Amino acid sequence: MERADGARVAALDSTLPREPDIPAWAPLLYQLQLLDFREKPEPLSLAIPDRIRIGNQKRERGNFYFQREEYSMAAQAYCMALDMLTTRTYESQSCAAEEEEEEVNDYRVKCLNNLAAAQLKLGQFDEALHTSRDVLFLDPQNVKALFRKGKLLSDRGEYEEAMETLKKALKLEPSTKAIHAELSKLVKRQAGENETQSWQAKPAQMFGENIAPFLTPPPKKKPFGISWKFLLGALVVALGSLVTSVVLTARN
């Protein structure tokens, strides 16, 4: 290739791969320039389809964080999605159509279920129970929410409500092994509690209201510290000493 000044330069073939000129361990410094920004849209000012589109984008971002085990970021993304997925409108706007409202509620159920899963990973058990109840308010037959609610209630010791919830989940999905396992665990917990309550009921019947000293079983009496073998040996030694003393006295 020839430049305007007549000098010749070699033309590079763009199809050839470029040799790496930056080492893999070299630190890189990027300089960014903000060109434009947009204010966060107010959900109530958007049309329902736009809310669904933006809400799903945020939900998918939460799924991305969840797969990376960044559960706190996932929970934040799900909450932002739920803020967007609403059918409430300004008074000047018309109410949402029934079909649109059902679609929004379906996406809200998905977000709430994902949020409950993230809360469980974060150890936020009370929040996860509250979120599962929100799911069941929108979809009373949601098996995932029923299972989470039943398991959390069982862990809290609320066995009666947990049993009803898990039975409902089992009726909807009889072949799910996780529900069977949780019901089995709950039955064992109930049996253990009933045994404890039946043991504590006897003192209450015998001693009336003043049963505080009798609620705990008395400590077991420890066996005597000296064994019978030791006592027998000591007795034999004592008798031997006595016989020896008698014999010596008789000889003298």
Side-chain angles (χ1 to χ4, degrees):
M1 185 173 77
E2 186 176 354
R3 298 191 314 191
D5 55 1
R8 288 184 174 274
V9 295
L12 297 177
D13 188 352
S14 59
T15 61
L16 296 177
R18 178 181 175 182
E19 293 294 331
D21 53 0
I22 300 176
W25 58 87
L28 300 178
L29 178 63
Y30 292 92
Q31 185 175 2
L32 304 178
Q33 181 180 3
L34 179 63
L35 300 178
D36 190 14
F37 72 95
R38 291 177 296 176
E39 295 286 346
K40 179 181 178 181
E42 176 64 29
L44 301 184
S45 65
L46 298 175
I48 300 296
D50 292 332
R51 301 181 199 178
I52 294 175
R53 175 180 55 81
I54 298 174
N56 280 331
Q57 290 176 352
K58 296 184 181 299
R59 179 176 62 86
E60 291 174 358
R61 183 182 301 175
N63 294 342
F64 169 77
Y65 286 127
F66 191 93
Q67 292 174 356
R68 292 168 56 92
E69 299 183 357
E70 299 179 22
Y71 302 119
S72 179
M73 295 293 294
Q76 293 179 19
Y78 294 139
C79 288
M80 289 189 290
L82 289 168
D83 290 340
M84 189 63 61
L85 292 169
T86 176
T87 56
R88 293 185 297 109
T89 59
Y90 290 128
E91 294 180 358
S92 59
Q93 295 178 342
S94 60
C95 297
E98 184 176 354
E99 294 180 358
E100 290 179 333
E101 185 172 358
E102 290 180 359
E103 187 178 4
V104 170
N105 285 339
D106 289 341
Y107 287 120
R108 284 186 65 84
V109 167
K110 293 180 180 179
C111 277
L112 287 168
N113 267 328
N114 294 348
L115 176 59
Q119 290 169 336
L120 286 175
K121 292 291 186 180
L122 294 169
Q124 300 172 352
F125 303 116
D126 291 340
E127 291 82 353
L129 178 60
H130 179 76
T131 303
S132 298
R133 283 173 170 158
D134 287 343
V135 174
L136 295 173
F137 178 78
L138 297 173
D139 182 9
Q141 294 186 337
N142 190 279
V143 178
K144 287 184 178 179
L146 286 170
F147 175 75
R148 289 195 181 104
K149 178 185 174 183
K151 179 173 172 38
L152 289 167
L153 289 172
S154 177
D155 293 340
R156 290 175 57 161
E158 301 179 23
Y159 298 139
E160 292 185 5
E161 187 178 357
M163 181 65 72
E164 294 178 1
T165 304
L166 290 173
K167 282 183 177 179
K168 187 175 181 180
L170 185 64
K171 185 177 180 180
L172 293 170
E173 289 190 6
S175 60
T176 303
K177 295 181 179 179
I179 302 177
H180 285 278
E182 194 60 36
L183 273 169
S184 177
K185 187 188 301 182
L186 176 57
V187 170
K188 292 179 181 178
R189 287 178 176 176
Q190 281 185 311
E193 183 181 79
N194 291 337
E195 289 178 2
T196 304
Q197 290 178 348
S198 62
W199 182 87
Q200 291 182 348
K202 294 179 181 178
Q205 295 172 359
M206 294 172 58
F207 301 105
E209 296 180 356
N210 189 19
I211 61 173
F214 307 101
L215 288 179
T216 56
K220 295 182 179 179
K221 295 182 179 180
K222 295 183 179 180
F224 190 68
I226 303 175
S227 65
W228 66 271
K229 293 183 178 180
F230 179 81
L231 292 175
L232 182 58
L235 181 59
V236 170
V237 172
L239 289 175
S241 300
L242 180 60
V243 170
T244 303
S245 176
V246 170
V247 171
L248 293 176
T249 302
R251 288 181 179 179
N252 294 333

